[in-house]
Every structure is written in C-alpha cells, then in structure tokens.
Amino acid sequence: MRLRKLVAAAVPLPALLGLAVVVPAAAATEPLVTLADNAAPLVNSARTGDVAGGQRITAALSLKLHNQEALEKFLADVQNPASPQYHHFLTPAQFNAEFGPTQADVRKAVSFLEKSGATGIEVSGNRQAVTFTGSAAQLESAFHTRLGTYHDQSSGRNFFANDAAPTLPADVSSVVGNVVGLDNHALRTHTTAVAKPNVVKAVTPPVLKTAYGTSGLSATGSGVKVGFVEFDGYQKSNITNYDSTYGLSAGSVTTVPVSGANYDSSPGDGQIEVELDIEVVHALAAAANDYVYEAPNTSAGELAMYQKIASDHTVNVVSISWGACESAEGSSAAKSISSAVATGTAEGISYFAAAGDDGTTDCYRQTGSTAKAVDFPASSPNVTGVGGTQLTVTSSNAYSSEKAWNDGASNGSTGGGISTVFTAPSWQSSQSTTYRKVPDVSADAASGSGYYIYTAGSWETVWGTSGAAPLWAAFATLQNQVHGGGLGNLNPKFYSIGNGSSYGTGFHDVTTGNNTLHGTTGFSAGTGYDQVTGWGSFKGSGLSGLIG
C-alpha cells in the first residue's frame, strides 16, 4: 500500500470580502514593472474568497544575479576538460564578488520591505534571498495584487494565491527577480511507499554494492560531506540500527535547521523519506558525514534551504527526494531555486533529485491533471534528474538486468519528459530538444526490488525514485573521495560519456519498458538516452574511471 504523502497543510483561510488594497500615494506616479514569472498556478481552481487582511504570510524576494552570461560561460568552462577553468570551483566569497547581488542591491530590497511594513526580514548568507513576513493586506499593497482563497476541484485542495502577477517599482525590480511565497499552491512531497506483497528481492547494502559495481572501489565516503534536502525529521537510533545491522562504519549525522525548522523531536509522515535518504547513502558511502537540512514546507522555506546550502558551502553532494510538478511549483519559485543550485554547482556541489513517481504525468496526484509534466527540482539544468528502474540480480547479487520501472497506477512509474520552464542546456544538444529533458540517469526504484530500510522502529521495504536519487548521490560521494574534491554538475560528463565510445563501460543501458501512466502515453526506453531512464544506471568501477 502506498504511504500517504506529507504535504503542507492547506486549509481555507478566513475571508474578508471587499478588502481594499491601499497603495501609497507616491506609487500612483511611480513606474511599476510586472514580474511575469510570478503569476500563480491556478489550474482547475475556483476562487472562493479573499485572504483575511491580518493573515500573516512568510515570503521571500529572490535577488538577481549579476553577469549572467559570464556565469553561464563559467559553468560550462568549469566542466570542460579543455578549459583552464576545469574544476577550478569558486568559494562563496568569490561567487558573491563576481556574480552575487551587491550590498547596495540588498539595501534597496530591504528598504522596500521595511517601508511596506514587513517584519522578520532575514538576508541569506550569499545575499541572494531576503525572507520576510507581512500581513496579507501589507503584501497586497506592496505588490499591487489581491490575495484570494482558491479550491482546486481536481485535487480537492484549498490554498491561497495572488490573483495577478505582482508588480514592483521599477527601481526595486532592477534588483529583484522574483517574489516567492505569495501562494501556497505547491506541494513539496516525497513519494516513498511501503511495499508488502510485491517484493521479489529487496535491495540491501551487499546487493547494491555488488550489483552496481562499487564493491571494487576502495572509497568509503570518508572525508566527504553529504547534504539532504528535507521537510521532516528523523531519529538517529533508526540510522544507527541500520548501520549496525550491516556492519557499516558511519560518519556523523547532523541536523541543520533552516528558518527555525527542526522536526527531529517529533517526526511526521515524512520520517520514512528522511531515513531512507540517509540509509541509502550509507549503503554505499557510510563513512561520509551527513548534514540534514530541515526547512518549513513552504516556498520561502524551500528557497531559504537551497540558499543556505550554497552559502554554507559545507557539503560536496546533495540528495533531493522532495519535489513538485513544475506547474504546481510555479516558475518564480523554480527559477529562484535554480539560481541557488547554480551557485552551489559553481562552488563544486553536485545535486541529485528524484524524477518523480507518476510517469510522464507528474502533476496527477497534486492537481489531478493527466497532462504531461515533469518534476522539479529534477528539471533544473544544474541538477541530475534520477529516474527509476526495476533491478534483477543473480543468486550471488551480481547484476542481471534492468527495465524501466512501471508498476501501474497503484504503485507508480518513473518520471520523465520535457520541462516547460527550463531551456535545454548545451550538453543536451544531441537530444534535439528546445527544452530540458529528464531524467539524466536512473537506478533501482521498483516495488519488486524495493529498498530494505529501518525506519520509525521497524524494518520496511520501500520503493520510488526517492531511493534512486540518494543512491546516485552515494555514488557521487565515492567519486568525490576517489578524485579528491568536489565535482559540481556531473551532467556534462554523463552526456559526454553517453555520446561517446565508452558509454557501455560506464552505464547499464536500460532499453525496455515505458513510463505510460494514468491513460497518458508516455515515453519508451531504448538504446542510448531516453526520457524514461536517461543514460541508465551506473557501473561503479567503470564509470568511476571515466570521471575526473
């Protein structure tokens, strides 16, 4: 049976009909600029009223980066072995000096918020985001839009959102790229599910190491730091039980609270996701030190977490198993977070995200839509999107075969398709696409070959791309140790290998299966790259020799 997803509570907000939007007199003659990306996603939704003027809302301003073209060139050069910049990653201070918002930019944004009556103003360590809290009436006045309550008829959810794209004074819009948090439509969910009757052979550390060929590597993850994007908590005793059962010598596990969030004293339904992520990384790279970032499950909380990961510059690899379909996430939030991820990759951080478990119809359980859609942040160009397979091994745990994971509507299928937000990066040009395709790679995710983990005081077998993403993060952790440092965005390397003669040395090419689900025709796996399993799963020792 599928585990109920953890979602941010969305309840009808008190309505104050006829609320007037008070605009300062000076704003009547001041030029205003519309932030087009900030139109709220209101698919299949009916407006039910106004948000009460006194309702407190936490939101954020995402500030613009400088020298964007130069940044794109640097991100290409830092992954180009022929460039003098190859793997010469930046420190946060170097990034801020070259590409980040200036102190003057921050002062301009903060001054605007203070004049609007906002409180709790907090600037991220890299100056890219300014989090704040204000009443609905204050936000309506500041951004010249009404905030309404809505009901999504397909999903049955109630949420609030801005009725129209916000506007800002021209001077302020020169430094602000997006406003994040004027709606709570997005559901950042995990898709981990508990498998009972469908298990053929659950995967454990010995199975994963043997099947995916990492047992021959001397690396253990020692000296590497792994970050986890989480919206719930965990209990260290469960992690310790898993490690001791399999004789794993593990590094430290540290919680990093973001915006005051720390769920560890009373984890919710998402505990299984957090513990799955950590334990799967331990299966291959137990000696790494883990940093579990926990944030409020809101747009502002999500942005603050990704900005903190980049500005802290503590971790080398990031595992992400929480996401939302692109249209639910919204363009403003997706682009803001993608900028934070680009910052991290410029500093040498590698990001891996689950591609979703609803086939090519990623919005199905969030909005009820059967239109083709992909999951974010897997669709961000600086994130490696990880799809799912069904792994079959021999009696000695050696690799036998893989096919695309598709267990039908009840148990899910690997996500994949084409982004509607992000254009295709240069390294994806061989796929003849205008927009970014996902996934990039894949690994085991099926119910029949689920992950055997210890969570919430018991052993469970779980499945989903939520397990495949940390598995790839674990492999990248080993590579950080093997190659002596951060590797940044590995997608250019993966696509270079996939398009070359060494493809079969580094990857298991998954050529059978599809991700058709919910009556919508998906994509089919085939030779080479496809929008079901990407380039396939890793051959540990083989791919290790091709990276660096």
Side-chain angles (χ1 to χ4, degrees), residues 22-32 141 144 167 169:
V22 180
V23 181
T29 58
E30 190 173 7
L32 296 175
S141 176
H144 302 90
T167 62

Side-chain angles (χ1 to χ4, degrees), residues 192-207:
T192 308
V194 178
K196 294 296 183 185
N198 301 314
V199 181
V200 176
K201 182 171 185 176
V203 294
T204 60
V207 174

Side-chain angles (χ1 to χ4, degrees), residues 69-446:
E69 289 186 8
L71 173 58
E72 293 300 323
K73 184 177 187 305
F74 174 78
L75 291 174
D77 289 344
V78 80
Q79 294 296 351
N80 181 2
S83 170
Q85 296 285 353
Y86 184 59
H87 282 188
H88 289 180
F89 298 107
L90 304 177
T91 65
Q94 289 171 328
F95 185 95
N96 286 351
E98 185 67 24
F99 306 112
T102 65
Q103 290 289 2
D105 295 341
V106 173
R107 284 195 297 270
K108 189 175 294 187
V110 169
S111 176
F112 166 75
L113 291 173
E114 289 175 338
K115 291 177 182 177
S116 301
T119 60
I121 298 172
E122 182 179 348
V123 180
S124 65
N126 56 15
R127 303 194 295 260
Q128 291 183 31
V130 184
T131 305
F132 61 94
T133 299
S135 69
Q138 289 170 332
L139 299 188
E140 288 179 319
S141 176
F143 300 111
H144 302 90
T145 184
R146 296 290 290 271
L147 298 178
T149 56
Y150 286 82
H151 177 74
D152 190 309
Q153 297 174 350
S154 295
S155 66
R157 289 190 63 245
N158 296 301
F159 61 96
F160 68 82
N162 48 300
D163 293 352
T167 62
L168 286 172
D171 189 45
V172 179
S173 73
S174 67
V175 301
V176 174
N178 291 289
V179 185
V180 176
L182 294 184
D183 72 87
N184 68 344
H185 180 271
L187 299 176
R188 289 154 205 89
T189 64
H190 66 87
T191 50
T192 308
V194 178
K196 294 296 183 185
N198 301 314
V199 181
V200 176
K201 182 171 185 176
V203 294
T204 60
V207 174
L208 293 169
K209 289 177 181 178
T210 303
Y212 285 120
T214 65
S215 55
L217 298 175
S218 59
T220 60
S222 177
V224 184
K225 298 175 181 178
V226 182
F228 298 87
V229 167
E230 307 292 356
F231 296 98
D232 210 325
Y234 64 100
Q235 294 174 306
K236 284 189 178 180
S237 59
N238 292 315
I239 311 301
T240 300
N241 195 324
Y242 180 86
D243 293 337
S244 61
T245 297
Y246 293 106
L248 304 175
S249 299
S252 61
V253 182
T254 304
T255 298
V256 184
V258 179
S259 300
N262 187 327
Y263 306 101
D264 296 343
S265 63
S266 183
D269 288 349
Q271 176 180 354
I272 190 171
E273 179 59 63
V274 185
E275 291 169 354
L276 169 69
D277 294 345
I278 298 170
E279 291 175 13
V280 170
V281 168
H282 283 200
L284 297 189
N289 291 324
D290 303 328
Y291 293 80
V292 185
Y293 287 78
E294 297 180 9
N297 198 338
T298 63
S299 294
E302 181 184 33
L303 178 59
M305 176 155 46
Y306 281 96
Q307 292 291 10
K308 184 168 178 58
I309 289 171
S311 61
D312 284 354
H313 197 214
T314 298
V315 301
N316 311 100
V317 179
V318 175
S319 177
I320 309 163
S321 293
W322 299 74
C325 70
E326 285 185 329
S327 63
E329 179 74 22
S331 183
S332 61
K335 290 183 178 180
S336 298
I337 291 165
S338 195
S339 289
V341 171
T343 303
T345 56
E347 298 166 357
I349 302 173
S350 303
Y351 296 78
F352 294 84
D357 293 3
D358 273 300
T360 193
T361 53
D362 194 67
C363 288
Y364 181 77
R365 270 173 286 171
Q366 297 175 50
T367 68
S369 172
T370 56
K372 288 187 176 181
V374 298
D375 205 69
F376 176 85
S379 63
S380 174
N382 288 298
V383 172
T384 298
V386 184
T389 67
Q390 178 158 353
L391 173 68
T392 301
V393 299
T394 68
S395 58
S396 59
N397 295 334
Y399 182 92
S400 177
S401 65
E402 280 176 286
K403 64 180 180 179
W405 165 45
N406 192 336
D407 286 334
S410 60
N411 289 337
S413 173
T414 179
I418 304 173
S419 170
T420 60
V421 176
F422 301 102
T423 57
S426 59
W427 38 263
Q428 220 172 35
S429 59
S430 61
Q431 276 63 58
S432 303
T433 181
T434 302
Y435 284 86
R436 164 99 161 101
K437 288 182 177 179
V438 288
D440 302 297
V441 295
S442 56
D444 180 55

Side-chain angles (χ1 to χ4, degrees), residues 439-507:
D440 302 297
V441 295
S442 56
D444 180 55
S447 60
S449 50
Y451 293 83
Y452 194 54
I453 66 167
Y454 194 78
T455 179
S458 64
W459 288 96
E460 301 284 0
T461 302
V462 300
W463 78 91
T465 54
S466 289
L471 189 67
W472 266 94
F475 175 74
T477 299
L478 299 178
Q479 296 312 299
N480 270 251
Q481 182 182 354
V482 168
H483 298 289
L487 298 171
N489 181 9
L490 282 164
N491 285 339
K493 177 65 69 175
F494 293 155
Y495 281 75
S496 174
I497 294 170
N499 288 316
S501 58
S502 299
Y503 175 37
T505 301
F507 289 93

